[in-house]
Amino acid sequence: MNWYGIGAIYKFEMARTWRTLMQSIASPVLSTSLYFIVFGAAIGSRMGDIDGVSYGAFIIPGLVMLALLSESISNASFGIFFPKFSGTIYEVLSAPISSFEIVTGYVGAAATKSILLGLLILLTARFFVDYEIVHPWWMLTFLALTAVTFSLFGFIIGVWADDFQKLQVIPLMIITPLTFLGGAFYSISMLPEVWQKITLFNPVVYLISGFRWAFYGVADVNLGLSIGMTLLFLVLCLTTVWWIFRTGYRIKT
């Protein structure tokens, strides 16, 4: 294993985060804090409990997952897209480092940034809403698993995109709506029966449900099913990344 190569990519990507601290960390934390103020402290105090949890506390896992998904994709996709855009990707591809080690460096840095962001958002939420974490290890497991999985997904988007518009279209047009409709602000049991069944086709439901279970011990779908769907998406992303390097899709001529 070429740890020096992995470390070089990892440090380069992390250094980019520190150079753009306001955009990478401060901005997502601030925007999510506004949700806590509006829905948690202001509106939440006028709404009833959901599954025995106050509304302000109930939405915290969904909001953390919303930031985690979007930032994981954004960090990883830009990380691999920019070397393609500037032409420096060939320096990485020609270096004595395997495709697995390249992916580990880029995805590891993107996942690290997302996990730090998720923990910062949780810390910030404590100032506005009281919440508990019944299963902290499961919470960290879901946090890490989701960050790695969607960083891999972002890596795929970064390889696929050939302009800045394509880089943004999937996170904005697909991932964000799926997260909003995946139970971030409500329990899917509150929907009519037909919509409950349709919602189960949304993969983000399983992520939010499992993550919320780690906080309060309540979930919309079975915990095993949430873990299974997350692992299935992880395997699909890993297979796609393997295929990209196997064929050289959009990274080699």
Side-chain angles (χ1 to χ4, degrees):
M1 183 73 78
N2 186 346
W3 292 108
Y4 289 106
I6 296 173
I9 296 174
Y10 182 87
K11 289 177 182 176
F12 179 82
E13 287 298 303
M14 292 302 293
R16 184 163 59 82
T17 301
W18 307 133
R19 288 197 302 270
T20 58
L21 200 59
M22 293 299 290
Q23 178 187 354
S24 303
I25 301 293
S27 177
V29 171
L30 178 62
S31 58
T32 307
S33 298
L34 295 177
Y35 283 109
F36 293 138
I37 295 171
V38 175
F39 291 99
I43 298 177
S45 61
R46 298 173 181 271
M47 298 185 66
D49 294 351
I50 300 177
D51 295 330
V53 181
S54 69
Y55 184 72
F58 185 84
I59 64 174
I60 287 176
L63 291 176
V64 173
M65 196 58 73
L66 173 64
L68 194 71
L69 297 187
S70 58
E71 291 301 317
S72 295
I73 293 173
S74 175
N75 289 330
S77 61
F78 188 80
I80 189 64
F81 173 79
F82 191 74
K84 280 178 50 191
F85 179 76
S86 61
T88 55
I89 186 68
Y90 296 107
E91 296 178 6
V92 178
L93 295 175
S94 60
I97 182 170
S98 69
S99 54
F100 173 77
E101 290 159 349
I102 292 173
V103 174
T104 301
Y106 280 110
V107 171
T112 301
K113 287 181 268 185
S114 300
I115 291 170
L116 287 174
L117 178 64
L119 294 176
L120 275 174
I121 290 174
L122 278 179
L123 189 64
T124 306
R126 182 66 75 181
F127 292 103
F128 304 103
V129 184
D130 288 330
Y131 65 89
E132 59 180 332
I133 304 176
V134 178
H135 307 287
W137 290 112
W138 274 110
M139 187 277 289
L140 291 173
T141 300
F142 268 106
L143 196 70
L145 196 59
T146 305
V148 171
T149 302
F150 278 82
S151 294
L152 280 168
F153 187 53
F155 187 89
I156 295 168
I157 293 173
V159 171
W160 165 75
D162 52 14
D163 58 39
F164 284 96
Q165 181 173 285
K166 286 184 178 178
L167 201 63
Q168 297 294 328
V169 68
I170 292 182
L172 291 178
M173 301 297 289
I174 297 178
I175 299 301
T176 301
L178 285 179
T179 307
F180 273 87
L181 297 174
F185 294 95
Y186 56 84
S187 168
I188 63 172
S189 61
M190 299 165 69
L191 298 172
E193 188 174 350
V194 175
W195 284 105
Q196 288 185 34
K197 293 178 180 177
I198 294 174
T199 302
L200 293 179
F201 288 98
N202 179 355
V204 179
V205 166
Y206 302 94
L207 299 175
I208 294 177
S209 176
F211 197 49
R212 184 170 285 139
W213 175 86
F215 279 74
Y216 310 118
V218 297
D220 287 324
V221 296
N222 181 273
L223 176 64
L225 193 56
S226 293
I227 297 172
M229 290 295 289
T230 307
L231 292 176
L232 175 63
F233 194 51
L234 174 63
V235 171
L236 287 174
C237 289
L238 284 172
T239 305
T240 306
V241 170
W242 171 83
W243 175 82
I244 286 172
F245 280 96
R246 181 77 175 79
T247 62
Y249 174 76
R250 295 205 172 186
I251 57 174
K252 294 179 183 177
T253 57

